[in-house]
Amino acid sequence: NLLKSGAYNSDEVKADKLIDDVADSTSRMLIKNFAGCKINYDFGEGQAKVVHGFRFRTGAKGYPGRRPKSVVVWGTQDAVPDEAAANAANWTKISDKIDFTTQPIDAWSSYMSFQNEVAYRAYRLEIDDNVSSDSYGDFLELYEMELVPPPGELHLNVASGQTVVNTTVALTGSLKLVKEGAGTFVSMDATQTYTGGTDVLGGTVKF
């Protein structure tokens, strides 16, 4: 997985801190003199995913203005090669502005959902402003980020050249099975009663 920030200024802590599973001030993305940024998450070739939402772990308890004011979500099937070429991809706008001003500070936000049925290789979260400035100036400060698949889906990602065999788990209920990656997934030799269907986004599924 690859996370890149196409911020409009370079005075920032690296955006890859948003996906290092450390949700505190020791590992954060901090942008000073904030004037907007674009956070691009590229799942990689052959790894397109349907995403229906996101959430941030916000920071700086004493500085509530450092949260995003709003977020617009974009998607692309193109690779996002590097920060300098972040705008080279053909982006499709997925959401209108999603208000973030009511989300908590120094905590995980709610899951911010949007309508999307397309599996994109990469997603962009565009933040054009923070909630407000503070005594130190204009900042955006975030600790972690998550992109959220639709509820009720089991996503299985098998890399190219690999075969994963399910020997123990029978799928039931309204679950939907989503196969990702170029490898092969082999279902267990038993009746599968799940009713949500199967999407094969890459590779092979054998029942």
Side-chain angles (χ1 to χ4, degrees), residues 72-87:
V72 177
V73 183
W74 302 73
T76 184
Q77 305 296 357
D78 298 334
V80 183
D82 53 41
E83 293 188 19
N87 290 315

Side-chain angles (χ1 to χ4, degrees), residues 106-185:
D106 196 23
W108 279 106
S109 71
S110 303
Y111 285 110
M112 315 299 288
S113 62
F114 49 86
Q115 184 66 35
N116 176 41
E117 303 299 332
V118 179
Y120 289 103
R121 167 176 170 153
Y123 289 84
R124 165 178 286 177
L125 304 183
E126 183 176 5
I127 304 170
D128 63 0
D129 200 0
N130 58 358
V131 171
S132 63
S133 60
D134 55 51
S135 58
Y136 293 97
D138 280 301
F139 290 82
L140 181 75
E141 185 171 5
L142 298 169
Y143 292 167
E144 284 286 300
M145 179 188 83
E146 288 184 355
L147 296 178
V148 186
E153 293 190 357
L154 174 62
H155 287 243
L156 299 172
N157 193 316
V158 184
S160 177
Q162 295 184 351
T163 298
V164 172
V165 181
N166 174 22
T167 60
T168 58
V169 180
L171 306 180
T172 61
S174 59
L175 183 73
K176 180 178 183 179
L177 175 64
V178 181
K179 165 63 176 64
E180 302 168 342
T184 299
F185 173 72

